[in-house]
Amino acid sequence: MPMSYIYGKRFVCPITPLIRDLREELFIQPYDESMWKKSRHKCAKVIRILSLIELCHDKFMKIINFLIKL
């Protein structure tokens, strides 16, 4: 719940040296130059496959979820 509250309020913390260093380490291109709206569809192949499966019939998804939980 606390995270949803912070997200709902659009909380923004100041950019500290630690945050700047983490951004440099985690992102390939500079964080400020990232095109976030254009990059939304880019994700791991596994996530794209799972998204396609979600579009399938509900019973199929229930079977897959059951098998994953085994």
Side-chain angles (χ1 to χ4, degrees), residues 3-68:
M3 290 306 293
S4 61
Y5 175 80
I6 289 173
Y7 179 77
K9 291 292 185 179
R10 301 290 192 241
F11 177 78
V12 179
C13 68
I15 305 297
T16 63
L18 175 63
I19 292 174
R20 200 172 292 115
D21 290 343
L22 286 171
R23 287 179 176 178
E24 285 179 19
E25 186 175 333
L26 295 173
F27 297 103
I28 296 171
Q29 65 185 24
Y31 182 84
D32 296 333
E33 295 176 13
S34 296
M35 301 289 191
W36 295 110
K37 288 186 179 183
K38 291 182 180 180
S39 303
R40 245 182 227 169
H41 69 283
K42 297 179 183 178
C43 56
K45 188 175 182 179
V46 172
I47 295 173
R48 288 186 296 214
I49 291 171
L50 289 175
S51 296
L52 291 174
I53 291 174
E54 287 176 3
L55 297 175
C56 293
H57 195 267
D58 186 45
K59 289 182 181 179
F60 180 72
M61 274 303 295
K62 287 180 181 179
I63 293 169
I64 295 295
N65 286 331
F66 176 76
L67 293 174
I68 289 173

Short mmCIF file of all heavy atoms in Angstrom, two decimals, residues 3-68:
data_model
loop_
_atom_site.label_atom_id
_atom_site.label_comp_id
_atom_site.label_asym_id
_atom_site.label_seq_id
_atom_site.Cartn_x
_atom_site.Cartn_y
_atom_site.Cartn_z
N MET A 3 3.63 1.96 -1.43
CA MET A 3 4.16 2.26 -2.76
C MET A 3 3.06 2.79 -3.68
O MET A 3 3.32 3.67 -4.49
CB MET A 3 4.82 1.02 -3.36
CG MET A 3 6.11 0.63 -2.68
SD MET A 3 7.31 1.96 -2.59
CE MET A 3 7.72 2.17 -4.29
N SER A 4 1.85 2.25 -3.56
CA SER A 4 0.77 2.75 -4.41
C SER A 4 0.40 4.19 -4.03
O SER A 4 0.06 4.99 -4.90
CB SER A 4 -0.45 1.83 -4.32
OG SER A 4 -0.94 1.79 -3.00
N TYR A 5 0.50 4.52 -2.77
CA TYR A 5 0.24 5.89 -2.33
C TYR A 5 1.28 6.84 -2.92
O TYR A 5 0.95 7.89 -3.47
CB TYR A 5 0.25 5.99 -0.80
CG TYR A 5 0.11 7.40 -0.30
CD1 TYR A 5 -1.14 8.01 -0.26
CD2 TYR A 5 1.23 8.13 0.09
CE1 TYR A 5 -1.27 9.31 0.18
CE2 TYR A 5 1.11 9.44 0.52
CZ TYR A 5 -0.14 10.03 0.57
OH TYR A 5 -0.27 11.31 0.99
N ILE A 6 2.55 6.44 -2.83
CA ILE A 6 3.63 7.27 -3.37
C ILE A 6 3.48 7.43 -4.88
O ILE A 6 3.63 8.53 -5.41
CB ILE A 6 5.00 6.66 -3.01
CG1 ILE A 6 5.25 6.82 -1.51
CG2 ILE A 6 6.12 7.30 -3.81
CD1 ILE A 6 6.48 6.11 -1.01
N TYR A 7 3.13 6.35 -5.58
CA TYR A 7 2.94 6.42 -7.02
C TYR A 7 1.76 7.32 -7.35
O TYR A 7 1.82 8.13 -8.28
CB TYR A 7 2.72 5.03 -7.61
CG TYR A 7 2.50 5.06 -9.10
CD1 TYR A 7 3.56 5.24 -9.97
CD2 TYR A 7 1.22 4.93 -9.62
CE1 TYR A 7 3.36 5.28 -11.33
CE2 TYR A 7 1.02 4.97 -10.98
CZ TYR A 7 2.09 5.15 -11.84
OH TYR A 7 1.87 5.20 -13.18
N GLY A 8 0.68 7.19 -6.60
CA GLY A 8 -0.50 8.00 -6.83
C GLY A 8 -0.25 9.48 -6.64
O GLY A 8 -0.81 10.32 -7.34
N LYS A 9 0.61 9.82 -5.71
CA LYS A 9 0.96 11.22 -5.45
C LYS A 9 2.05 11.72 -6.40
O LYS A 9 2.41 12.89 -6.36
CB LYS A 9 1.45 11.39 -4.00
CG LYS A 9 0.36 11.23 -2.97
CD LYS A 9 -0.61 12.37 -3.09
CE LYS A 9 -1.65 12.29 -1.99
NZ LYS A 9 -2.59 13.40 -2.05
N ARG A 10 2.57 10.82 -7.23
CA ARG A 10 3.66 11.16 -8.17
C ARG A 10 4.86 11.75 -7.43
O ARG A 10 5.43 12.77 -7.81
CB ARG A 10 3.18 12.12 -9.25
CG ARG A 10 2.05 11.62 -10.09
CD ARG A 10 2.54 10.49 -10.98
NE ARG A 10 1.54 10.19 -11.99
CZ ARG A 10 0.94 9.02 -12.11
NH1 ARG A 10 1.25 8.05 -11.27
NH2 ARG A 10 0.07 8.80 -13.04
N PHE A 11 5.23 11.07 -6.34
CA PHE A 11 6.35 11.50 -5.51
C PHE A 11 7.64 11.49 -6.34
O PHE A 11 7.90 10.56 -7.08
CB PHE A 11 6.50 10.56 -4.32
CG PHE A 11 7.68 10.88 -3.46
CD1 PHE A 11 7.64 11.92 -2.55
CD2 PHE A 11 8.84 10.14 -3.56
CE1 PHE A 11 8.72 12.21 -1.76
CE2 PHE A 11 9.94 10.43 -2.77
CZ PHE A 11 9.88 11.47 -1.87
N VAL A 12 8.41 12.54 -6.21
CA VAL A 12 9.70 12.64 -6.90
C VAL A 12 10.75 13.02 -5.87
O VAL A 12 10.58 13.99 -5.13
CB VAL A 12 9.65 13.70 -8.01
CG1 VAL A 12 11.00 13.82 -8.70
CG2 VAL A 12 8.57 13.36 -9.03
N CYS A 13 11.81 12.24 -5.80
CA CYS A 13 12.88 12.58 -4.86
C CYS A 13 13.99 13.32 -5.60
O CYS A 13 14.11 13.22 -6.82
CB CYS A 13 13.42 11.32 -4.20
SG CYS A 13 14.31 10.22 -5.29
N PRO A 14 14.79 14.06 -4.88
CA PRO A 14 15.90 14.77 -5.53
C PRO A 14 16.93 13.77 -6.07
O PRO A 14 17.12 12.70 -5.52
CB PRO A 14 16.49 15.62 -4.41
CG PRO A 14 15.98 15.07 -3.14
CD PRO A 14 14.72 14.32 -3.45
N ILE A 15 17.55 14.15 -7.17
CA ILE A 15 18.59 13.31 -7.78
C ILE A 15 19.87 13.45 -6.95
O ILE A 15 20.46 14.52 -6.87
CB ILE A 15 18.86 13.73 -9.24
CG1 ILE A 15 17.57 13.73 -10.05
CG2 ILE A 15 19.90 12.83 -9.88
CD1 ILE A 15 16.91 12.40 -10.19
N THR A 16 20.26 12.37 -6.34
CA THR A 16 21.47 12.36 -5.51
C THR A 16 22.60 11.73 -6.32
O THR A 16 22.37 11.11 -7.35
CB THR A 16 21.23 11.54 -4.23
OG1 THR A 16 20.96 10.19 -4.60
CG2 THR A 16 20.07 12.11 -3.42
N PRO A 17 23.83 11.86 -5.85
CA PRO A 17 24.94 11.20 -6.53
C PRO A 17 24.74 9.67 -6.63
O PRO A 17 25.11 9.07 -7.64
CB PRO A 17 26.16 11.54 -5.67
CG PRO A 17 25.81 12.83 -5.02
CD PRO A 17 24.32 12.75 -4.78
N LEU A 18 24.12 9.08 -5.62
CA LEU A 18 23.87 7.64 -5.66
C LEU A 18 22.91 7.29 -6.80
O LEU A 18 23.16 6.35 -7.57
CB LEU A 18 23.29 7.16 -4.33
CG LEU A 18 22.85 5.69 -4.30
CD1 LEU A 18 24.05 4.77 -4.51
CD2 LEU A 18 22.15 5.38 -3.00
N ILE A 19 21.84 8.04 -6.94
CA ILE A 19 20.88 7.79 -8.02
C ILE A 19 21.55 7.99 -9.37
O ILE A 19 21.36 7.20 -10.31
CB ILE A 19 19.65 8.71 -7.87
CG1 ILE A 19 18.86 8.29 -6.63
CG2 ILE A 19 18.77 8.66 -9.12
CD1 ILE A 19 17.71 9.20 -6.29
N ARG A 20 22.35 9.02 -9.50
CA ARG A 20 23.06 9.28 -10.76
C ARG A 20 24.00 8.12 -11.10
O ARG A 20 24.04 7.65 -12.24
CB ARG A 20 23.85 10.58 -10.62
CG ARG A 20 24.21 11.20 -11.94
CD ARG A 20 24.81 12.59 -11.80
NE ARG A 20 23.81 13.56 -11.33
CZ ARG A 20 23.87 14.19 -10.16
NH1 ARG A 20 24.86 14.00 -9.34
NH2 ARG A 20 22.93 15.04 -9.80
N ASP A 21 24.73 7.60 -10.10
CA ASP A 21 25.63 6.47 -10.33
C ASP A 21 24.87 5.21 -10.71
O ASP A 21 25.29 4.46 -11.60
CB ASP A 21 26.47 6.20 -9.08
CG ASP A 21 27.49 7.29 -8.82
OD1 ASP A 21 27.78 8.08 -9.76
OD2 ASP A 21 28.00 7.36 -7.69
N LEU A 22 23.73 4.97 -10.07
CA LEU A 22 22.92 3.80 -10.41
C LEU A 22 22.39 3.89 -11.83
O LEU A 22 22.39 2.90 -12.57
CB LEU A 22 21.75 3.65 -9.43
CG LEU A 22 22.12 3.15 -8.04
CD1 LEU A 22 20.91 3.25 -7.12
CD2 LEU A 22 22.63 1.72 -8.10
N ARG A 23 21.96 5.06 -12.25
CA ARG A 23 21.48 5.24 -13.62
C ARG A 23 22.58 4.98 -14.63
O ARG A 23 22.35 4.37 -15.67
CB ARG A 23 20.92 6.65 -13.81
CG ARG A 23 19.58 6.83 -13.13
CD ARG A 23 19.08 8.24 -13.32
NE ARG A 23 17.75 8.40 -12.76
CZ ARG A 23 17.09 9.55 -12.74
NH1 ARG A 23 17.65 10.64 -13.25
NH2 ARG A 23 15.90 9.61 -12.22
N GLU A 24 23.78 5.44 -14.34
CA GLU A 24 24.91 5.19 -15.25
C GLU A 24 25.22 3.71 -15.35
O GLU A 24 25.56 3.21 -16.41
CB GLU A 24 26.15 5.95 -14.76
CG GLU A 24 26.11 7.42 -15.02
CD GLU A 24 27.35 8.11 -14.49
OE1 GLU A 24 28.37 7.42 -14.25
OE2 GLU A 24 27.31 9.34 -14.30
N GLU A 25 25.10 3.01 -14.24
CA GLU A 25 25.43 1.59 -14.21
C GLU A 25 24.34 0.73 -14.86
O GLU A 25 24.64 -0.25 -15.53
CB GLU A 25 25.63 1.15 -12.76
CG GLU A 25 26.12 -0.26 -12.62
CD GLU A 25 26.41 -0.63 -11.18
OE1 GLU A 25 26.73 0.27 -10.38
OE2 GLU A 25 26.30 -1.82 -10.88
N LEU A 26 23.08 1.10 -14.69
CA LEU A 26 21.98 0.26 -15.14
C LEU A 26 21.55 0.49 -16.58
O LEU A 26 21.06 -0.44 -17.23
CB LEU A 26 20.76 0.45 -14.23
CG LEU A 26 20.95 0.01 -12.79
CD1 LEU A 26 19.75 0.41 -11.95
CD2 LEU A 26 21.18 -1.49 -12.72
N PHE A 27 21.70 1.69 -17.10
CA PHE A 27 21.20 2.01 -18.43
C PHE A 27 22.33 2.08 -19.44
O PHE A 27 23.39 2.62 -19.16
CB PHE A 27 20.41 3.32 -18.41
CG PHE A 27 19.18 3.24 -17.55
CD1 PHE A 27 19.16 3.82 -16.29
CD2 PHE A 27 18.06 2.57 -17.99
CE1 PHE A 27 18.04 3.74 -15.49
CE2 PHE A 27 16.93 2.49 -17.20
CZ PHE A 27 16.92 3.06 -15.96
N ILE A 28 22.07 1.59 -20.65
CA ILE A 28 23.07 1.59 -21.72
C ILE A 28 23.30 3.00 -22.23
O ILE A 28 24.43 3.44 -22.38
CB ILE A 28 22.61 0.67 -22.87
CG1 ILE A 28 22.52 -0.77 -22.36
CG2 ILE A 28 23.54 0.77 -24.06
CD1 ILE A 28 21.86 -1.72 -23.33
N GLN A 29 22.22 3.70 -22.54
CA GLN A 29 22.36 5.08 -22.98
C GLN A 29 22.06 6.00 -21.80
O GLN A 29 21.46 5.57 -20.82
CB GLN A 29 21.40 5.37 -24.13
CG GLN A 29 19.94 5.29 -23.78
CD GLN A 29 19.06 5.46 -25.00
OE1 GLN A 29 19.49 5.21 -26.10
NE2 GLN A 29 17.84 5.89 -24.78
N PRO A 30 22.45 7.26 -21.89
CA PRO A 30 22.20 8.18 -20.78
C PRO A 30 20.71 8.23 -20.43
O PRO A 30 19.85 8.28 -21.31
CB PRO A 30 22.69 9.52 -21.32
CG PRO A 30 23.71 9.16 -22.34
CD PRO A 30 23.23 7.88 -22.94
N TYR A 31 20.43 8.24 -19.16
CA TYR A 31 19.04 8.19 -18.66
C TYR A 31 18.22 9.37 -19.20
O TYR A 31 17.07 9.20 -19.58
CB TYR A 31 19.06 8.21 -17.14
CG TYR A 31 17.69 8.11 -16.51
CD1 TYR A 31 17.09 6.88 -16.32
CD2 TYR A 31 17.01 9.25 -16.12
CE1 TYR A 31 15.84 6.78 -15.74
CE2 TYR A 31 15.75 9.16 -15.54
CZ TYR A 31 15.17 7.92 -15.35
OH TYR A 31 13.93 7.83 -14.79
N ASP A 32 18.81 10.54 -19.24
CA ASP A 32 18.09 11.74 -19.67
C ASP A 32 17.74 11.70 -21.16
O ASP A 32 16.83 12.39 -21.61
CB ASP A 32 18.90 13.00 -19.37
CG ASP A 32 19.09 13.19 -17.88
OD1 ASP A 32 18.22 12.71 -17.11
OD2 ASP A 32 20.10 13.78 -17.48
N GLU A 33 18.47 10.91 -21.95
CA GLU A 33 18.23 10.83 -23.39
C GLU A 33 17.30 9.67 -23.77
O GLU A 33 17.00 9.50 -24.94
CB GLU A 33 19.56 10.67 -24.12
CG GLU A 33 20.47 11.87 -23.98
CD GLU A 33 21.82 11.65 -24.62
OE1 GLU A 33 21.97 10.68 -25.38
OE2 GLU A 33 22.72 12.46 -24.36
N SER A 34 16.86 8.91 -22.81
CA SER A 34 15.99 7.76 -23.09
C SER A 34 14.62 8.25 -23.56
O SER A 34 14.05 9.17 -23.01
CB SER A 34 15.82 6.89 -21.85
OG SER A 34 17.04 6.34 -21.48
N MET A 35 14.11 7.59 -24.60
CA MET A 35 12.77 7.88 -25.11
C MET A 35 11.82 6.86 -24.48
O MET A 35 11.59 5.79 -25.02
CB MET A 35 12.74 7.76 -26.63
CG MET A 35 13.68 8.67 -27.34
SD MET A 35 13.07 10.35 -27.19
CE MET A 35 14.11 11.16 -28.34
N TRP A 36 11.30 7.18 -23.31
CA TRP A 36 10.52 6.21 -22.54
C TRP A 36 9.23 5.82 -23.24
O TRP A 36 8.84 4.66 -23.23
CB TRP A 36 10.24 6.76 -21.15
CG TRP A 36 11.49 6.92 -20.36
CD1 TRP A 36 12.09 8.08 -19.99
CD2 TRP A 36 12.34 5.87 -19.87
NE1 TRP A 36 13.25 7.83 -19.30
CE2 TRP A 36 13.42 6.47 -19.21
CE3 TRP A 36 12.30 4.49 -19.94
CZ2 TRP A 36 14.43 5.74 -18.62
CZ3 TRP A 36 13.30 3.76 -19.33
CH2 TRP A 36 14.36 4.39 -18.68
N LYS A 37 8.53 6.75 -23.86
CA LYS A 37 7.27 6.41 -24.52
C LYS A 37 7.51 5.49 -25.72
O LYS A 37 6.71 4.62 -26.00
CB LYS A 37 6.53 7.67 -24.94
CG LYS A 37 5.96 8.42 -23.77
CD LYS A 37 5.11 9.58 -24.21
CE LYS A 37 4.54 10.27 -22.99
NZ LYS A 37 3.66 11.37 -23.34
N LYS A 38 8.60 5.69 -26.43
CA LYS A 38 8.90 4.85 -27.59
C LYS A 38 9.45 3.49 -27.17
O LYS A 38 9.40 2.53 -27.93
CB LYS A 38 9.90 5.54 -28.51
CG LYS A 38 9.33 6.74 -29.21
CD LYS A 38 10.35 7.36 -30.15
CE LYS A 38 9.77 8.56 -30.86
NZ LYS A 38 10.75 9.16 -31.77
N SER A 39 10.00 3.39 -25.97
CA SER A 39 10.64 2.16 -25.51
C SER A 39 9.70 1.24 -24.76
O SER A 39 10.09 0.16 -24.35
CB SER A 39 11.82 2.51 -24.60
OG SER A 39 12.73 3.33 -25.26
N ARG A 40 8.46 1.65 -24.57
CA ARG A 40 7.53 0.86 -23.77
C ARG A 40 7.35 -0.55 -24.27
O ARG A 40 7.19 -1.48 -23.49
CB ARG A 40 6.18 1.55 -23.78
CG ARG A 40 5.77 2.03 -22.45
CD ARG A 40 4.41 2.65 -22.52
NE ARG A 40 4.53 3.90 -21.80
CZ ARG A 40 3.64 4.84 -21.79
NH1 ARG A 40 2.55 4.69 -22.48
NH2 ARG A 40 3.83 5.91 -21.09
N HIS A 41 7.34 -0.74 -25.59
CA HIS A 41 7.09 -2.07 -26.16
C HIS A 41 8.33 -2.95 -26.15
O HIS A 41 8.23 -4.14 -26.39
CB HIS A 41 6.56 -1.95 -27.59
CG HIS A 41 7.59 -1.43 -28.54
ND1 HIS A 41 7.93 -0.10 -28.60
CD2 HIS A 41 8.37 -2.07 -29.44
CE1 HIS A 41 8.87 0.05 -29.52
NE2 HIS A 41 9.16 -1.11 -30.04
N LYS A 42 9.47 -2.37 -25.87
CA LYS A 42 10.71 -3.16 -25.84
C LYS A 42 10.86 -3.81 -24.48
O LYS A 42 10.94 -3.14 -23.46
CB LYS A 42 11.92 -2.27 -26.12
CG LYS A 42 11.90 -1.65 -27.48
CD LYS A 42 13.10 -0.77 -27.67
CE LYS A 42 13.05 -0.09 -29.03
NZ LYS A 42 14.18 0.81 -29.22
N CYS A 43 10.90 -5.12 -24.47
CA CYS A 43 11.07 -5.84 -23.22
C CYS A 43 11.67 -7.20 -23.53
O CYS A 43 11.88 -7.55 -24.69
CB CYS A 43 9.74 -5.98 -22.47
SG CYS A 43 8.48 -6.79 -23.43
N ALA A 44 11.93 -7.96 -22.51
CA ALA A 44 12.52 -9.27 -22.69
C ALA A 44 11.60 -10.15 -23.54
O ALA A 44 10.38 -10.04 -23.48
CB ALA A 44 12.76 -9.93 -21.34
N LYS A 45 12.19 -11.03 -24.32
CA LYS A 45 11.42 -11.91 -25.19
C LYS A 45 10.41 -12.74 -24.39
O LYS A 45 9.29 -12.97 -24.84
CB LYS A 45 12.37 -12.82 -25.96
CG LYS A 45 11.71 -13.63 -27.03
CD LYS A 45 12.75 -14.41 -27.82
CE LYS A 45 12.09 -15.19 -28.93
NZ LYS A 45 13.07 -15.93 -29.72
N VAL A 46 10.79 -13.16 -23.21
CA VAL A 46 9.90 -13.96 -22.37
C VAL A 46 8.63 -13.18 -22.04
O VAL A 46 7.52 -13.71 -22.08
CB VAL A 46 10.63 -14.38 -21.08
CG1 VAL A 46 9.69 -15.05 -20.11
CG2 VAL A 46 11.80 -15.27 -21.39
N ILE A 47 8.78 -11.91 -21.73
CA ILE A 47 7.62 -11.09 -21.38
C ILE A 47 6.71 -10.92 -22.59
O ILE A 47 5.48 -10.97 -22.47
CB ILE A 47 8.07 -9.73 -20.82
CG1 ILE A 47 8.80 -9.93 -19.51
CG2 ILE A 47 6.88 -8.79 -20.64
CD1 ILE A 47 9.45 -8.70 -18.96
N ARG A 48 7.28 -10.73 -23.79
CA ARG A 48 6.45 -10.61 -24.99
C ARG A 48 5.69 -11.90 -25.26
O ARG A 48 4.52 -11.87 -25.63
CB ARG A 48 7.31 -10.25 -26.19
CG ARG A 48 7.80 -8.83 -26.15
CD ARG A 48 8.51 -8.48 -27.41
NE ARG A 48 9.70 -9.33 -27.50
CZ ARG A 48 10.85 -8.95 -28.03
NH1 ARG A 48 10.97 -7.76 -28.53
NH2 ARG A 48 11.87 -9.76 -28.07
N ILE A 49 6.34 -13.04 -25.05
CA ILE A 49 5.68 -14.32 -25.25
C ILE A 49 4.54 -14.48 -24.26
O ILE A 49 3.44 -14.89 -24.62
CB ILE A 49 6.69 -15.48 -25.14
CG1 ILE A 49 7.64 -15.44 -26.33
CG2 ILE A 49 5.97 -16.83 -25.06
CD1 ILE A 49 8.81 -16.40 -26.22
N LEU A 50 4.79 -14.14 -23.01
CA LEU A 50 3.74 -14.23 -22.00
C LEU A 50 2.57 -13.29 -22.33
O LEU A 50 1.42 -13.63 -22.09
CB LEU A 50 4.29 -13.93 -20.61
CG LEU A 50 5.21 -15.00 -20.02
CD1 LEU A 50 5.78 -14.54 -18.70
CD2 LEU A 50 4.49 -16.32 -19.87
N SER A 51 2.86 -12.13 -22.90
CA SER A 51 1.80 -11.22 -23.29
C SER A 51 0.93 -11.82 -24.38
O SER A 51 -0.28 -11.66 -24.38
CB SER A 51 2.38 -9.90 -23.79
OG SER A 51 3.05 -9.25 -22.75
N LEU A 52 1.54 -12.54 -25.32
CA LEU A 52 0.77 -13.20 -26.37
C LEU A 52 -0.10 -14.31 -25.79
O LEU A 52 -1.24 -14.50 -26.20
CB LEU A 52 1.70 -13.77 -27.44
CG LEU A 52 2.42 -12.75 -28.30
CD1 LEU A 52 3.42 -13.46 -29.22
CD2 LEU A 52 1.44 -11.94 -29.12
N ILE A 53 0.45 -15.03 -24.83
CA ILE A 53 -0.32 -16.11 -24.20
C ILE A 53 -1.54 -15.55 -23.48
O ILE A 53 -2.60 -16.13 -23.49
CB ILE A 53 0.58 -16.92 -23.24
CG1 ILE A 53 1.61 -17.71 -24.05
CG2 ILE A 53 -0.25 -17.87 -22.39
CD1 ILE A 53 2.63 -18.44 -23.22
N GLU A 54 -1.37 -14.35 -22.87
CA GLU A 54 -2.49 -13.75 -22.16
C GLU A 54 -3.66 -13.44 -23.08
O GLU A 54 -4.81 -13.38 -22.64
CB GLU A 54 -2.04 -12.47 -21.45
CG GLU A 54 -1.18 -12.75 -20.24
CD GLU A 54 -0.65 -11.48 -19.60
OE1 GLU A 54 -1.01 -10.38 -20.06
OE2 GLU A 54 0.11 -11.60 -18.65
N LEU A 55 -3.38 -13.27 -24.36
CA LEU A 55 -4.44 -12.99 -25.31
C LEU A 55 -5.23 -14.26 -25.68
O LEU A 55 -6.30 -14.17 -26.25
CB LEU A 55 -3.86 -12.36 -26.58
CG LEU A 55 -3.20 -11.00 -26.39
CD1 LEU A 55 -2.56 -10.55 -27.70
CD2 LEU A 55 -4.18 -9.97 -25.90
N CYS A 56 -4.69 -15.40 -25.34
CA CYS A 56 -5.34 -16.66 -25.68
C CYS A 56 -6.53 -16.92 -24.76
O CYS A 56 -6.79 -16.17 -23.82
CB CYS A 56 -4.35 -17.82 -25.55
SG CYS A 56 -3.05 -17.73 -26.77
N HIS A 57 -7.16 -18.02 -25.03
CA HIS A 57 -8.36 -18.41 -24.29
C HIS A 57 -8.07 -18.56 -22.79
O HIS A 57 -6.99 -18.97 -22.38
CB HIS A 57 -8.88 -19.73 -24.86
CG HIS A 57 -10.26 -20.05 -24.44
ND1 HIS A 57 -10.53 -20.82 -23.35
CD2 HIS A 57 -11.45 -19.68 -24.97
CE1 HIS A 57 -11.84 -20.92 -23.23
NE2 HIS A 57 -12.42 -20.25 -24.20
N ASP A 58 -9.05 -18.23 -21.96
CA ASP A 58 -8.90 -18.24 -20.50
C ASP A 58 -8.53 -19.62 -19.97
O ASP A 58 -7.69 -19.75 -19.07
CB ASP A 58 -10.20 -17.75 -19.86
CG ASP A 58 -10.06 -17.59 -18.36
OD1 ASP A 58 -9.04 -17.03 -17.91
OD2 ASP A 58 -10.97 -18.03 -17.64
N LYS A 59 -9.10 -20.67 -20.53
CA LYS A 59 -8.80 -22.02 -20.06
C LYS A 59 -7.34 -22.37 -20.31
O LYS A 59 -6.69 -23.01 -19.48
CB LYS A 59 -9.70 -23.04 -20.74
CG LYS A 59 -11.12 -22.98 -20.27
CD LYS A 59 -11.98 -24.04 -20.94
CE LYS A 59 -13.41 -23.92 -20.47
NZ LYS A 59 -14.27 -24.92 -21.10
N PHE A 60 -6.83 -21.95 -21.45
CA PHE A 60 -5.42 -22.20 -21.77
C PHE A 60 -4.52 -21.52 -20.74
O PHE A 60 -3.55 -22.10 -20.27
CB PHE A 60 -5.12 -21.69 -23.18
CG PHE A 60 -3.70 -21.91 -23.61
CD1 PHE A 60 -3.24 -23.19 -23.90
CD2 PHE A 60 -2.83 -20.84 -23.71
CE1 PHE A 60 -1.93 -23.39 -24.28
CE2 PHE A 60 -1.53 -21.04 -24.10
CZ PHE A 60 -1.07 -22.31 -24.39
N MET A 61 -4.87 -20.29 -20.37
CA MET A 61 -4.08 -19.57 -19.37
C MET A 61 -4.13 -20.27 -18.02
O MET A 61 -3.13 -20.33 -17.30
CB MET A 61 -4.58 -18.14 -19.22
CG MET A 61 -3.98 -17.17 -20.21
SD MET A 61 -2.19 -17.12 -20.15
CE MET A 61 -1.92 -16.47 -18.54
N LYS A 62 -5.28 -20.78 -17.66
CA LYS A 62 -5.39 -21.49 -16.39
C LYS A 62 -4.50 -22.73 -16.37
O LYS A 62 -3.87 -23.03 -15.36
CB LYS A 62 -6.84 -21.86 -16.12
CG LYS A 62 -7.70 -20.68 -15.75
CD LYS A 62 -9.13 -21.10 -15.49
CE LYS A 62 -9.98 -19.89 -15.15
NZ LYS A 62 -11.38 -20.24 -14.91
N ILE A 63 -4.43 -23.44 -17.48
CA ILE A 63 -3.57 -24.62 -17.58
C ILE A 63 -2.10 -24.22 -17.45
O ILE A 63 -1.34 -24.84 -16.70
CB ILE A 63 -3.82 -25.38 -18.90
CG1 ILE A 63 -5.23 -25.98 -18.89
CG2 ILE A 63 -2.77 -26.46 -19.11
CD1 ILE A 63 -5.67 -26.53 -20.22
N ILE A 64 -1.69 -23.18 -18.17
CA ILE A 64 -0.30 -22.72 -18.10
C ILE A 64 0.05 -22.29 -16.68
O ILE A 64 1.09 -22.64 -16.15
CB ILE A 64 -0.07 -21.54 -19.09
CG1 ILE A 64 -0.24 -22.00 -20.53
CG2 ILE A 64 1.29 -20.90 -18.87
CD1 ILE A 64 0.79 -23.01 -20.98
N ASN A 65 -0.82 -21.52 -16.06
CA ASN A 65 -0.57 -21.08 -14.67
C ASN A 65 -0.45 -22.27 -13.72
O ASN A 65 0.39 -22.27 -12.83
CB ASN A 65 -1.66 -20.13 -14.20
CG ASN A 65 -1.53 -18.77 -14.83
OD1 ASN A 65 -0.44 -18.35 -15.17
ND2 ASN A 65 -2.64 -18.10 -15.00
N PHE A 66 -1.30 -23.26 -13.93
CA PHE A 66 -1.22 -24.45 -13.09
C PHE A 66 0.12 -25.16 -13.27
O PHE A 66 0.76 -25.56 -12.31
CB PHE A 66 -2.38 -25.41 -13.44
CG PHE A 66 -2.31 -26.71 -12.70
CD1 PHE A 66 -2.68 -26.76 -11.36
CD2 PHE A 66 -1.85 -27.85 -13.31
CE1 PHE A 66 -2.59 -27.96 -10.66
CE2 PHE A 66 -1.77 -29.06 -12.63
CZ PHE A 66 -2.15 -29.11 -11.29
N LEU A 67 0.57 -25.28 -14.52
CA LEU A 67 1.85 -25.95 -14.79
C LEU A 67 3.04 -25.16 -14.24
O LEU A 67 4.01 -25.74 -13.78
CB LEU A 67 2.01 -26.18 -16.29
CG LEU A 67 1.03 -27.17 -16.91
CD1 LEU A 67 1.20 -27.20 -18.42
CD2 LEU A 67 1.22 -28.56 -16.31
N ILE A 68 2.95 -23.85 -14.31
CA ILE A 68 4.04 -23.01 -13.79
C ILE A 68 4.16 -23.19 -12.27
O ILE A 68 5.27 -23.19 -11.71
CB ILE A 68 3.82 -21.54 -14.15
CG1 ILE A 68 4.02 -21.36 -15.65
CG2 ILE A 68 4.74 -20.63 -13.37
CD1 ILE A 68 3.66 -19.98 -16.15
#
